[in-house]
């Protein structure tokens, strides 16, 4: 550009040569007049247009407002030469704002450049979108930016710029980005082999996950997997992404922060992976070789410690972290001390005990006097968070001493935190009153109304405290200087409880009146109005000073303030009424106790802690303050077993016995069961996500209901097969994914969801790899536990990328009869148990219609095949009617134990009805078993 635009270089040289501002302005005005003339010429060449727009852009950068060149810059956007287009985008980005009317003329040009095959042109358009923005531009171009970001043909640097442009658009205009709809495709880019792309995508996901935690929940597993590859596997190009031998610290910090926006991992495989990464990062104790190395090292280390605390503050890793933080508190570097104090406040918010933090109490108190105000703020937060009943008096005393010399910008927050600590951890009411009044006396101008309101409420509701509070307030009134907030408290408390100290030496009614009235002359109208109310109370309890009080009322009748004047007139009228008037006794009665309510101090403090960047995953204020925040967080994050629910490891038991016997005459049980539609009734899945339902998929699913292995899904891209093993109340399923394509299958993501998550829990023992090579396979291993009787089978959500994003939702063949065990009984044993179990509530019976076969008979063999396939033993020789079926089995649940059950199926050809009777040793299982077995038989 310097060689082709010589005139621009000369112009810049002349501007720089100007020795005074006036000469500079004259040179610029002269050139602008010349440019205006040139623009009016119809023979303006593309080269001249580019040169003159560049000069205008330079003057704009110098701070001179320009009213010309806008249309010429927009025309340059449509140029074919890159140099002209580049100058056009530079000028448009500088001179147009998001509210400019000319933006409508730019949108089409940018949209065309986003579709251009030249990558550098795409980047110019993306930079303009990110820098200019605008509601209309964002709404029109957000889909194109997303398309460019996910396109497999886009270069890596285009994907990075597209991700950051989309992030910029979302932050300004979140309503134009369908974040939930795009979630799976955006998350899949976290598996991109280029770490630069992953860094940009991580920034986008980190922001979107804060607003849509449920939609972006699968990013947790992706983040854990990528961290494991970075830190443990070292799968990256060390020449490009090693920063002082730290693998991509920026990406590590973003991924670790993302982990903190979700509850701790419940799947064993994911948790083991995360803990291995965190343990490795915690051992990263190198001696920094430079400032840059030091910053990168501590950025990753402190974020890892925050993640450890978030996952489990009671773990061994958390104990090691607390020890490290104690060392960092005494660091010579300001940044390290700041991070140590901030992270230790996080530990205080989640730890079961504060003992590891209390060891460093003196060091933390000394941090209040650090030369850096940001460190002093974090020290205040930590002292507030670690305060409890044992150390409250020490911490509050130190804060009061420091309050007198604290920064003015810090005092209001300190006052709130001191007041809250006094209220929450006071063991003696007298200490509470003394401390709060000392606080108001030391920093009255920074004490909000909430503080003295709360003092009044506590004193009113605590009878043992009233006399002491009245005496203490009176002593403050007698001092030469007394803050107005103290006058308000003293006025209220003496008005209500001044009579409790009236008989003490030096506290007579007249002395109380003199002390309060002397301070009233220096107070505002609101305070004097409160004092007038105190006086009317005294008219009743202190008749000896009634003349002085009447004089005050009479004088206030003539003040200019309407509120004071009205009060004085009304109080004077009341004071002049007869003493036996019932109205006076009602007015002069003591205030009743206040109803228990939430402290307004906490709400005031919450407003002081407004976040300006990423949302915090913890709250300053210790463990109690975290409880409400966690409840609100879990409400926003409806994480209902998306990655499993916590279950204990199943005990290894002996395998089941031989397969259930096939009834005589039935040579192929699967043939007898073929064609059954198990989609309705008790097997319907209540998950709102649409489940893939085709005849072929349904047939495979129904077949697997009565088999331990087989194919669940098959198409031209992928085959999903299952092997399962059930032992009592536990079941283990291995899901195999086979890539049938000639190219790799990328960004494989699997999620299991259960509608009956309280009754059927699961734990993912092994997660599949994210990439499957051609003809390769990977495995997902899941362990299920039947806690209670359940009706809904879980679903498996599969997403993968093969040129485009594919999503499949399949039903897993995990149904309640998988946890049955067939029992062989002799006829006499069956009758004995049948009689022993008895009738209701352990018996359930139902009639339901049945269909006859083509010959008009009951299909008894198919009926027996269904019952046998459901792991219920069909007993022979029990019922003399060969059409009837009698069975026995046991259902295993971990919550209530095992329960034996007996069934009797009695079909009637004449009535085309069937009677099903179920007797169970458990009162609660009999109706559920009856409904479930009826659903199986009716599906025939």
């Amino acid at each position: 550009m310097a060689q082709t635009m010589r005139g621009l270089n000369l112009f810049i040289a002349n501007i720089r040569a100007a020795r005074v501002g006036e000469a500079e302005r004259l040179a610029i005005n002269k050139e602008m007049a010349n440019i205006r003339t040139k623009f009016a010429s119809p023979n303006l060449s593309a080269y001249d247009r580019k040169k003159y727009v560049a000069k205008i852009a330079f003057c704009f950068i110098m701070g001179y407002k320009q009213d010309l060149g806008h249309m010429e810059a927009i025309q340059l956007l449509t140029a074919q030469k890159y140099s002209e287009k580049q100058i056009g985008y530079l000028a448009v980005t500088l001179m147009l704002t998001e509210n400019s009317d000319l933006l409508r003329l730019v949108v089409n040009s940018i949209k065309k450049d986003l579709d251009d095959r030249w990558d550098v042109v795409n980047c110019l358009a993306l930079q303009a979108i990110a820098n200019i923005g605008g509601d209309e531009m964002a709404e029109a171009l957000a889909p194109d930016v997303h398309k460019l970001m996910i396109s497999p043909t886009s270069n890596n640097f285009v994907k990075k710029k597209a991700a950051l442009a989309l992030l910029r658009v979302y932050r300004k205009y979140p309503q134009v980005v369908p974040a939930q709809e795009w979630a799976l495709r955006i998350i899949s880019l976290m598996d991109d082999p280029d770490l630069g792309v992953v860094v940009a995508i991580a920034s986008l996901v980190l922001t979107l996950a804060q607003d849509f935690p449920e939609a972006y929940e699968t990013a947790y597993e992706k983040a854990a997997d990528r961290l494991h590859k970075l830190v443990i596997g070292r799968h990256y190009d060390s020449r490009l992404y090693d920063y002082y031998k730290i693998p991509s610290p920026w990406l590590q910090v973003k991924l670790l922060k993302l982990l903190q926006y979700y509850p701790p991992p419940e799947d064993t495989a994911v948790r083991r992976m995360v803990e291995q990464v965190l343990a490795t990062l915690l051992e990263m104790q190198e001696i920094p070789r430079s400032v840059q190395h030091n910053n990168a090292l501590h950025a990753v280390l402190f974020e890892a410690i925050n993640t450890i605390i978030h996952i489990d503050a009671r773990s061994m890793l958390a104990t090691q972290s607390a020890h490290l933080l104690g060392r960092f508190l005494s660091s010579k570097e300001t940044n390290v001390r700041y991070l140590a104090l901030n992270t230790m406040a996080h530990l205080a918010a989640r730890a079961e005990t504060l003992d590891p933090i209390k060891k460093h109490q003196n060091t933390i108190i000394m941090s209040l006097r650090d030369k850096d105000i940001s460190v002093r703020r974090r020290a205040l937060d930590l002292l507030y968070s670690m305060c409890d009943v044992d150390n409250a008096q020490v911490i509050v005393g130190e804060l009061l001493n420091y309050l007198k010399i604290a920064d003015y910008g810090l005092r209001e927050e300190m006052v709130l935190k001191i007041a809250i600590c006094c209220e929450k951890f006071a063991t003696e009411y007298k200490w509470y009153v003394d401390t709060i009044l000392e606080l108001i006396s030391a920093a009255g101008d920074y004490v909000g109304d909430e503080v003295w309101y709360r003092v009044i409420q506590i004193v009113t509701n605590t009878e043992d405290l009233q006399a002491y509070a009245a005496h203490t307030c009176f002593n403050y009134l007698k001092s030469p200087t007394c803050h107005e907030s103290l006058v308000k408290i003293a006025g209220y408390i003496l008005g209500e409880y001044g009579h409790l100290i009236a008989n003490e030496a030096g506290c007579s009614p007249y002395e109380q009146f003199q002390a309060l009235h002397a301070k009233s002359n220096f107070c505002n109208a609101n305070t004097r109005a409160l004092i007038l109310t105190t006086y009317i109370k005294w008219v009743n309890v202190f008749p000896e000073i009634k003349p002085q009080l009447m004089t005050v009322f009479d004088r206030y009748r003539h003040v200019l303030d309407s509120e004071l004047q009205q009060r004085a007139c009304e109080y004077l009228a009341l004071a002049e009424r007869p003493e036996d008037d019932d109205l006076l006794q009602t007015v002069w009665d003591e205030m009743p106790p206040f109803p228990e309510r939430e402290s307004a101090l906490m709400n005031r403090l919450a407003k002081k802690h407004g976040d300006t960047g990423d949302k915090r995953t913890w709250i300053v204020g210790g463990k109690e303050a975290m409880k409400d925040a966690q409840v609100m967080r879990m409400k926003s994050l409806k994480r209902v077993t998306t990655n499993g629910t916590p279950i204990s490891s199943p005990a290894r038991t002996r395998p089941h016995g031989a397969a259930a016997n096939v009834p005589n005459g039935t040579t192929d049980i699967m043939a007898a069961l073929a064609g059954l539609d198990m989609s309705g009734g008790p097997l319907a899945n209540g998950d709102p996500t649409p489940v893939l339902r085709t005849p072929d998929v349904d047939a495979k699913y129904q077949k697997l209901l009565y088999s331990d292995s087989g194919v669940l899904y098959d198409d031209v891209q992928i085959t999903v097969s299952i092997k399962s093993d059930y032992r009592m109340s536990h079941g283990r399923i291995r899901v195999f994914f086979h890539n049938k394509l000639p190219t790799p299958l990328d960004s494989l993501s699997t999620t299991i969801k259960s509608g009956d998550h309280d009754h059927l829990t699961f734990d993912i023992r092994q997660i599949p790899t994210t990439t499957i090579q051609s003809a390769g396979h990977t495995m997902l291993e899941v362990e299920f536990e039947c806690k209670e009787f359940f009706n809904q089978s879980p679903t498996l959500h599969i997403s993968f990328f093969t040129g485009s994003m594919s999503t499949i939702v399949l039903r897993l063949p995990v149904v309640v009869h998988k946890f049955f065990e067939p029992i062989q009984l002799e006829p006499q044993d069956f009758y004995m148990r049948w009689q022993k179990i008895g009738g209701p509530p352990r018996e359930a019976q139902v009639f339901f219609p049945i269909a006859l076969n083509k010959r008009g008979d009951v299909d008894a063999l198919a009926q027996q095949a269904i019952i046998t396939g459901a792991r219920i033993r069909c007993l022979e020789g029990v019922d003399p009617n060969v059409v009837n079926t009698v069975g026995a089995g046991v259902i295993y649940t971990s919550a209530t134990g095992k329960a034996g059950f007996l069934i009797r199926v009695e079909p009637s050809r004449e009535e085309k009805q069937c009677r099903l009777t179920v007797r169970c040793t458990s009162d609660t299982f009999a109706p559920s078993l009856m409904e479930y077995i009826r659903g199986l038989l009716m599906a025939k």
Side-chain angles (χ1 to χ4, degrees):
M1 186 170 65
Q3 295 176 353
T4 57
M5 290 195 291
R6 184 179 177 185
L8 175 63
N9 291 334
L10 292 175
F11 172 66
I12 294 175
N14 291 334
I15 296 298
R16 289 179 174 175
R19 295 186 177 182
V20 294
E22 185 63 28
E24 180 183 290
R25 283 191 293 273
L26 287 174
I28 289 176
N29 291 337
K30 180 180 179 181
E31 186 63 30
M32 290 302 105
N34 179 54
I35 292 174
R36 196 182 302 272
T37 303
K38 295 295 184 181
F39 281 164
S41 172
N43 300 321
L44 185 67
S45 65
Y47 167 79
D48 289 337
R49 180 182 291 109
K50 177 183 69 173
K51 179 177 64 175
Y52 296 142
V53 170
K55 289 181 179 181
I56 294 172
F58 176 77
C59 294
F60 187 87
I61 294 173
M62 292 286 292
Y64 293 91
K65 293 183 179 181
Q66 302 299 327
D67 58 354
L68 75 160
H70 296 79
M71 292 303 301
E72 285 72 16
I74 294 173
Q75 290 176 23
L76 287 176
L77 299 185
T78 61
Q80 297 302 315
K81 290 184 178 180
Y82 175 75
S83 60
E84 297 174 10
K85 190 180 289 286
Q86 183 187 34
I87 293 297
Y89 271 108
L90 174 63
V92 165
T93 303
L94 287 172
M95 297 191 295
L96 295 186
T97 65
E98 62 182 49
N99 300 318
S100 176
D101 294 333
L102 296 175
L103 275 187
R104 295 183 180 89
L105 304 176
V106 177
V107 171
N108 288 334
S109 297
I110 295 179
K111 188 177 183 69
K112 183 179 178 181
D113 288 339
L114 288 175
D115 296 332
D116 198 286
R117 295 184 180 180
W118 199 5
D119 297 331
V120 290
V121 174
N122 299 153
C123 292
L124 289 176
L126 291 170
Q127 290 167 348
I129 294 171
N131 288 322
I132 301 175
D135 194 359
E136 292 184 15
M137 178 183 287
E139 186 174 2
L141 300 178
D144 297 273
V145 176
H146 174 257
K147 179 181 176 182
L148 203 58
M149 180 182 69
I150 66 174
S151 173
T153 60
S154 296
N155 281 341
N156 291 332
F157 63 86
V158 175
K159 290 181 181 179
K160 289 188 286 186
K161 289 183 180 293
L164 297 177
L166 191 62
L167 175 59
R168 167 71 170 168
V169 168
Y170 177 76
R171 283 175 172 168
K172 291 201 70 175
Y173 307 102
Q175 70 278 5
V176 305
V177 178
Q180 292 174 288
E181 181 182 336
W182 294 347
L184 284 178
R185 190 64 188 93
I186 292 174
I187 292 171
S188 69
L189 291 175
M190 294 179 70
D191 292 323
D192 196 282
D194 186 88
L195 286 190
V197 174
V198 180
V199 171
I201 294 297
S203 300
L204 178 60
V205 171
L206 186 61
T207 300
L208 296 176
Q210 296 175 47
D211 296 330
F212 305 101
E214 188 176 6
Y216 287 84
E217 191 175 16
T218 54
Y220 191 100
E221 187 178 310
K222 298 284 187 185
D225 182 61
R226 178 60 81 173
L227 278 170
H228 192 270
K229 290 178 179 177
L230 270 178
V231 179
I232 307 298
R234 297 277 173 169
H235 296 161
Y236 65 97
D237 189 344
S238 59
R239 297 171 301 170
L240 297 176
Y241 295 106
D242 248 350
Y243 187 77
Y244 290 93
K245 296 185 179 181
I246 303 173
S248 189
W250 305 276
L251 179 58
Q252 288 192 54
V253 168
K254 291 179 185 296
L255 295 179
L256 289 169
K257 190 179 289 292
L258 178 61
L259 297 183
Q260 297 172 48
Y261 284 106
Y262 290 94
E266 296 162 342
D267 302 329
T268 301
V270 178
R271 191 180 187 104
R272 184 170 56 245
M273 189 187 304
V274 172
E275 287 177 350
Q276 187 178 2
V277 169
L278 294 174
T280 304
L281 293 177
L282 206 59
E283 295 172 358
M284 195 169 54
Q285 304 282 329
E286 301 179 33
I287 299 176
R289 297 191 297 271
S290 65
V291 175
Q292 293 82 359
H293 184 203
N294 180 69
N295 291 340
L297 184 70
H298 287 113
V300 175
L301 180 59
F302 279 105
E303 207 59 59
I305 293 175
N306 275 316
T307 308
I308 290 170
I309 295 169
H310 173 78
I311 291 176
D312 187 2
R314 297 169 295 179
S315 64
M316 288 299 298
L317 289 178
T319 304
Q320 297 176 35
S321 301
H323 179 69
L324 271 178
L325 292 175
R327 286 170 44 195
F328 288 140
L329 287 176
S330 303
S331 173
K332 295 180 180 180
E333 299 180 42
T334 302
N335 289 340
V336 174
R337 293 198 305 274
Y338 175 93
L339 291 171
L341 290 166
N342 191 59
T343 309
M344 197 167 274
H346 184 192
L347 178 62
R350 295 186 184 273
E352 293 292 331
T353 175
L354 295 173
D355 291 341
I357 304 174
K358 289 180 180 178
K359 294 178 182 177
H360 311 286
Q361 182 170 302
N362 293 333
T363 306
I364 298 167
I365 290 174
M366 289 300 296
S367 298
L368 283 174
R369 290 165 174 80
D370 195 277
K371 60 183 180 180
D372 192 292
I373 186 172
S374 61
V375 174
R376 297 198 292 271
R377 285 185 182 277
R378 296 291 77 81
L380 172 61
D381 287 344
L382 179 53
L383 286 171
Y384 171 67
S385 299
M386 65 183 286
C387 188
D388 61 11
V389 175
D390 298 327
N391 60 9
Q393 294 192 16
V394 175
I395 290 178
V396 169
E398 290 291 341
L399 291 177
L400 280 174
N401 291 335
Y402 176 66
L403 180 63
K404 300 170 184 176
I405 59 172
D407 303 83
Y408 293 111
L410 204 59
R411 290 191 180 185
E412 184 178 358
E413 185 176 342
M414 285 191 69
V415 167
L416 283 173
K417 290 180 175 177
I418 292 172
I420 292 171
C421 289
C422 288
E423 180 183 332
K424 288 172 64 177
F425 306 115
T427 55
E428 299 177 1
Y429 285 125
K430 293 182 179 180
W431 175 79
Y432 170 77
V433 171
D434 290 341
T435 305
I436 290 295
L437 295 182
E438 183 181 352
L439 171 67
I440 296 173
S441 177
D445 292 337
Y446 299 92
V447 177
D449 290 340
E450 297 89 350
V451 176
W452 75 269
Y453 289 167
R454 191 63 174 163
V455 174
I456 294 298
Q457 180 182 341
I458 292 175
V459 171
T460 303
N461 291 6
T462 310
E463 186 175 351
D464 296 340
L465 187 60
Q466 292 165 358
Y468 181 80
H471 195 279
T472 306
C473 290
F474 179 59
N475 288 336
Y476 271 100
L477 281 180
K478 291 193 294 184
S479 62
T481 58
C482 183
H483 194 272
E484 189 166 345
S485 295
L486 275 176
V487 176
K488 293 178 183 178
I489 297 175
Y492 184 95
I493 291 179
L494 291 178
E496 296 293 329
Y497 313 112
H499 61 281
L500 299 177
I501 62 171
N503 295 326
E504 297 181 14
C507 301
S508 65
Y510 183 75
E511 288 172 308
Q512 291 184 37
F513 169 73
Q514 268 193 327
L516 183 59
H517 194 64
K519 298 295 187 294
S520 66
N521 296 325
F522 305 100
C523 298
N524 61 31
N526 291 333
T527 305
R528 284 186 284 170
L530 186 148
I531 293 173
L532 287 179
T533 304
T534 300
Y535 291 166
I536 193 62
K537 295 272 187 175
W538 281 350
V539 167
N540 179 45
V541 295
F542 299 146
E544 60 269 32
I545 61 171
K546 183 175 180 180
Q548 291 89 336
L549 299 175
M550 298 288 283
T551 302
V552 174
F553 292 146
D554 184 64
R555 189 171 69 249
Y556 271 91
R557 288 168 55 198
H558 307 289
V559 297
L560 297 178
D561 188 278
S562 59
E563 171 67 21
L564 292 176
Q565 188 182 93
Q566 182 176 352
R567 285 190 183 227
C569 292
E570 293 175 356
Y571 290 164
L572 184 61
L574 286 172
E576 291 175 346
R577 296 178 67 89
E579 294 184 1
D580 58 350
D581 195 329
D582 294 337
L583 176 62
L584 294 183
Q585 299 305 320
T586 304
V587 173
W588 291 336
D589 198 10
E590 286 186 8
M591 289 290 292
F594 291 92
E596 291 298 326
R597 66 186 70 173
E598 182 183 358
S599 174
L601 299 177
M602 297 298 296
N603 295 331
R604 176 73 179 274
L605 185 61
K607 294 178 181 178
K608 296 286 293 181
H609 285 161
D611 289 330
T612 56
D614 292 332
K615 297 177 182 176
R616 292 183 90 161
T617 58
W618 54 278
I619 303 297
V620 173
K623 190 174 180 181
E624 291 185 8
M626 276 294 297
K627 291 180 180 178
D628 294 337
Q630 287 176 333
V631 170
M632 296 302 296
R633 177 69 179 164
M634 292 307 294
K635 285 181 180 179
S636 66
L637 174 58
K638 300 175 182 177
R639 190 166 186 255
V640 186
T641 68
T642 303
N643 285 326
T645 51
I647 62 173
S648 58
S649 299
R652 292 194 174 274
T653 57
R654 61 178 180 82
H656 289 299
N661 292 337
V662 179
N664 294 335
T666 305
T667 58
D668 187 359
I669 187 171
M670 297 313 302
L673 295 172
L676 296 184
D677 182 12
M678 304 298 294
S679 60
L683 299 181
N685 195 305
D687 196 285
T689 308
V691 180
L692 182 63
R693 303 295 297 273
T694 65
D696 180 63
V697 171
D698 285 350
K700 288 181 170 60
Y701 171 78
Q702 293 161 15
K703 192 173 182 179
L704 282 168
L705 288 177
Y706 303 98
S707 175
D708 289 336
S709 62
V711 175
L712 180 64
Y713 176 79
D714 185 38
D715 64 13
V716 297
Q717 296 179 318
I718 190 171
T719 297
V720 182
S721 57
I722 282 181
K723 288 185 179 180
S724 59
D725 178 32
Y726 291 88
R727 300 175 184 179
M728 303 178 71
S729 61
H730 293 83
R732 188 183 294 265
I733 286 185
R734 294 176 178 86
V735 185
F736 296 91
F737 305 91
H738 179 74
N739 180 14
K740 299 170 68 175
L741 296 171
T743 57
L745 186 148
D746 296 320
S747 300
L748 176 66
S749 177
T750 58
T751 305
I752 295 177
K753 295 186 179 182
S754 173
D756 277 348
H757 53 275
D758 292 331
H759 295 175
L760 178 68
T761 61
F762 59 90
D763 183 22
I764 297 178
R765 311 295 293 185
Q766 179 177 335
I767 60 176
T769 58
T770 57
T771 300
I772 309 177
Q773 298 299 326
S774 177
H777 69 274
T778 186
M779 183 185 72
L780 167 68
E781 185 176 342
V782 190
E783 192 170 277
F784 287 92
E785 180 180 6
C786 179
K787 289 185 171 292
E788 294 282 357
F789 196 98
F790 65 94
N791 291 314
Q792 297 182 12
S793 55
T795 55
L796 174 63
H797 298 238
I798 309 167
S799 63
F800 53 89
F801 184 73
T802 55
S804 63
M805 201 67 191
S806 300
T807 302
I808 306 170
V809 182
L810 303 170
R811 292 174 296 165
L812 282 175
V814 181
V815 290
V816 73
H817 74 245
K818 296 284 187 178
F819 302 95
F820 291 177
E821 182 179 359
I823 299 296
Q824 178 63 46
L825 294 175
E826 296 298 326
Q828 60 271 22
D829 293 333
F830 176 87
Y831 285 121
M832 182 182 67
R833 296 191 182 190
W834 184 270
Q835 295 297 329
K836 187 175 181 180
I837 294 174
R842 296 186 175 184
E843 179 187 86
Q845 191 175 91
V846 66
F847 289 86
F848 57 90
I850 59 173
L852 304 179
N853 58 20
K854 294 180 180 179
R855 295 175 300 182
D857 296 328
V858 175
D859 195 346
L861 293 180
Q863 181 177 275
Q864 292 175 7
I866 292 172
I867 294 173
T868 303
R871 301 168 67 92
I872 303 172
R873 180 81 67 182
C874 288
L875 306 178
E876 299 179 1
V878 176
D879 196 312
N881 190 342
V882 295
V883 178
N884 296 348
T885 303
V886 176
V890 173
I891 177 174
Y892 290 95
T893 59
S894 59
T896 55
K898 67 178 182 179
F901 64 90
L902 307 172
I903 69 167
R904 188 170 183 177
V905 183
E906 302 170 278
S908 172
R909 183 183 65 179
E910 292 77 12
E911 298 180 5
K912 296 182 180 181
Q913 292 274 331
C914 181
R915 179 172 67 178
L916 170 64
T917 306
V918 177
R919 291 190 178 184
C920 182
T921 56
S922 170
D923 300 350
T924 57
F925 283 170
S928 300
L929 283 167
M930 181 266 294
E931 290 294 338
Y932 182 79
I933 297 172
R934 180 182 70 165
L936 296 178
L937 294 172
M938 288 184 68
K940 173 171 70 68

